[in-house]
Amino acid sequence: EIVYQGCDPQFYDKPSIEDIARVKQKYNLPDRFILSVGTIEERKNLENIVKALPYVPADTKLVAIGRATIYTAKVIATIKLLGLEDRVKFIHNADFRDFPAIYAQSKILLYTSLFEGFGIPVLEGLNSGIPVITSDVSSMPEAGGDAAMYVNPMDHKDIADKIDTLLSSPTLCATMVEKGFKH
């Protein structure tokens, strides 16, 4: 038998309405957002998620949680080049205890990393009851199983198409959430 890695137990409990409201205010979260989690470094591929934003509904914001690195400047340059300053929010110092309430407010978790040992944020998203879009490379298909939607992480239009598909299909989202809990 293969026993896979799990995620932090806090992701198995649904956050309270009060926690969600507190966290929304604490981080000034937008009403409608997609989420990217992980150190902002090249292999996490945040720039291609940013490049996908112009192709999804304009009321959809991106919240990127993670420690800043030198790569962050490249991502910010792309945001400015595309005129997306009002659609991307960085949170560099989020309290890990607030993550379940942040995930719970997100429409989609995007984890388009180019390489991971396992991809724990994929499990965090699945356990949080949100649809997950992740890379079709490295260990992500193993982490997401049949519960996640997969993209070519180097193709921002593929990323955009999958985001748009999920945002426009509540039925598909519900099916993915159900599969995520089973996974």
Side-chain angles (χ1 to χ4, degrees):
E1 287 186 39
I2 297 172
V3 178
Y4 292 102
Q5 183 170 348
C7 65
D8 192 282
Q10 73 175 349
F11 289 95
Y12 291 95
D13 296 321
K14 188 174 180 177
S16 69
I17 293 170
E18 295 79 17
D19 273 346
I20 290 172
R22 176 188 58 77
V23 167
K24 181 177 177 62
Q25 182 178 8
K26 179 179 180 179
Y27 298 104
N28 192 28
L29 295 173
D31 290 331
R32 179 180 163 107
F33 68 93
I34 54 180
L35 179 65
S36 174
V37 176
T39 302
I40 302 169
E41 60 188 355
E42 197 146 1
R43 75 181 170 92
K44 300 290 187 182
N45 199 31
L46 182 59
E47 186 178 23
N48 274 326
I49 294 173
V50 168
K51 288 179 180 178
L53 278 180
Y55 300 96
V56 300
D59 67 335
T60 303
K61 313 275 189 201
L62 170 64
V63 173
I65 299 176
R67 182 177 51 82
T69 66
I70 293 171
Y71 173 71
T72 307
K74 184 176 181 182
V75 174
I76 290 171
T78 300
I79 290 167
K80 288 180 180 177
L81 179 71
L82 297 174
L84 299 171
E85 295 92 339
D86 63 333
R87 291 188 62 192
V88 181
K89 178 175 184 61
F90 288 99
I91 303 173
H92 298 299
N93 57 351
D95 184 332
F96 186 65
R97 293 172 295 187
D98 292 336
F99 277 35
I102 295 170
Y103 276 75
Q105 297 174 67
S106 175
K107 297 295 182 193
I108 300 168
L109 172 71
L110 290 141
Y111 197 68
T112 60
S113 181
L114 303 176
F115 177 79
E116 292 297 324
F118 187 68
I120 293 173
V122 171
L123 295 182
E124 293 170 352
L126 296 176
N127 279 306
S128 296
I130 59 172
V132 174
I133 297 173
T134 190
S135 303
D136 63 1
V137 299
S138 186
S139 61
M140 273 61 79
E142 191 173 16
D146 70 346
M149 185 175 281
Y150 297 96
V151 295
N152 172 350
M154 298 308 294
D155 183 349
H156 66 274
K157 289 192 177 177
D158 187 23
I159 295 168
D161 286 345
K162 298 298 189 320
I163 293 168
D164 199 45
T165 295
L166 288 179
L167 291 177
S168 63
S169 180
T171 303
L172 177 58
C173 288
T175 300
M176 288 179 67
V177 167
E178 184 179 321
K179 285 182 176 183
F181 286 135
K182 287 179 183 175
H183 183 68

